[in-house]
Amino acid sequence: QRFPGQKSADRQRTVGRPPLLHSTFRICHRDSPAYCGTMTTVFVDLMSQPSRACTLFCRAAGLPVDIEQVRLDKKQQKTPEYLAINPFGKVPALRDGEFTLPESASILRYLAVKFNVADHWYPREPKARATVESAMDWSSTTLRSGAARLGWHRVVGKRMGAPTSEDGAKEALGLLKLALHQLETIWLARSPFVAGSGISIADLQIVCELEQL
Ligand SMILES: N[C@@H](CCC(=O)N[C@@H](CS)C(=O)NCC(=O)O)C(=O)O
């Protein structure tokens, strides 16, 4: 499979950039029949929910995108090389030629449009598209504020020696319970998918927030 604007596999292998970061590895497509060289790279750490959503999308939709690891435990997200790609110092981020992009939801939408993916991922019809975007906004603002904060206070922050508290965890749990209720009674009321009859990038975003709980 070849997407518009892709370079041939041979060209990619010859011209491919040297790894940006130490201990970089490529997660997908190197050994896939679809791997045929690409200018597009997504930088991730699979400890990160938004990174997993982008990685999952690339894999599930078979996108010719290189996935490179940025190790949060080694603070690689704060190196000058990476800050040149994402000045916020967070994962994920995307680089496509000279273009760089932070924020997972924007990355998901960009990839969907760039690679002209199947409609169910990111529908072209305006109302269906807006529903996917609404679910993504809800996930970023509402679900994540409970789920990620709970994980931070109970697990991640503790491991990193950051200040955490049981009060913080309890508050996050309250937000999470409300969000889960909304997910079941509103987003999933009529379909196993949040925004229509097929799986979309919103489902990937949401499932990656939930899977580690
Ligand atoms: N809204 C951002 C959130 C990105 C984010 O919070 N990434 C975290 C990991 S889940 C990160 O890189 N943290 C490292 C840091 O802040 O130094 C997105 O969706 O991309």
Side-chain angles (χ1 to χ4, degrees):
Q1 193 180 5
R2 179 79 41 92
F3 293 90
Q6 270 180 255
K7 299 204 160 53
S8 74
D10 287 341
R11 180 167 159 70
Q12 163 68 13
R13 284 187 190 116
T14 313
V15 177
R17 298 161 195 254
L20 178 80
L21 304 161
H22 297 299
S23 67
T24 291
F25 71 92
R26 292 177 189 267
I27 297 171
C28 68
H29 285 292
R30 180 128 289 200
D31 47 7
S32 147
Y35 184 82
C36 49
T38 168
M39 298 281 288
T40 315
T41 303
V42 179
F43 298 89
V44 304
D45 185 315
L46 295 182
M47 286 290 291
S48 139
Q49 305 88 317
S51 290
R52 290 200 297 274
C54 293
T55 306
L56 195 54
F57 182 45
C58 292
R59 285 185 166 178
L63 306 185
V65 171
D66 290 320
I67 308 287
E68 291 197 15
Q69 187 185 33
V70 177
R71 289 191 57 167
L72 297 182
D73 64 343
K74 295 197 169 172
K75 294 262 179 274
Q76 289 181 336
Q77 77 277 20
K78 306 298 185 202
T79 59
E81 296 97 318
Y82 186 71
L83 289 171
I85 294 167
N86 184 354
F88 298 105
K90 289 182 186 291
V91 288
L94 170 141
R95 183 182 62 201
D96 190 357
E98 298 302 310
F99 175 66
T100 56
L101 187 68
E103 290 296 331
S104 59
S106 299
I107 292 167
L108 288 167
R109 290 188 288 254
Y110 177 81
L111 291 172
V113 171
K114 172 175 167 115
F115 293 112
N116 197 21
V117 295
D119 205 63
H120 63 86
W121 289 116
Y122 190 46
R124 286 158 189 78
E125 193 282 316
K127 293 190 179 89
R129 176 165 291 195
T131 305
V132 169
E133 290 178 346
S134 178
M136 293 175 87
D137 289 342
W138 174 84
S139 175
S140 301
T141 58
T142 307
L143 178 60
R144 188 166 167 76
S145 62
R149 277 167 60 188
L150 181 63
W152 174 262
H153 282 286
R154 289 266 164 89
V155 184
V156 183
K158 279 197 163 73
R159 280 193 194 159
M160 290 173 66
T164 58
S165 72
E166 196 42 37
D167 282 351
K170 279 193 186 131
E171 194 193 334
L173 189 59
L175 294 171
L176 177 62
K177 281 184 177 165
L178 177 62
L180 291 177
H181 181 71
Q182 292 173 342
L183 180 62
E184 287 188 358
T185 57
I186 300 172
W187 291 112
L188 297 175
R190 284 187 296 278
S191 159
F193 303 106
V194 291
S197 57
I199 190 167
S200 71
I201 52 178
D203 292 287
L204 301 186
Q205 194 183 7
I206 289 168
V207 84
C208 288
E209 278 309 332
L210 295 180
E211 66 179 348
Q212 71 190 36
L213 292 173

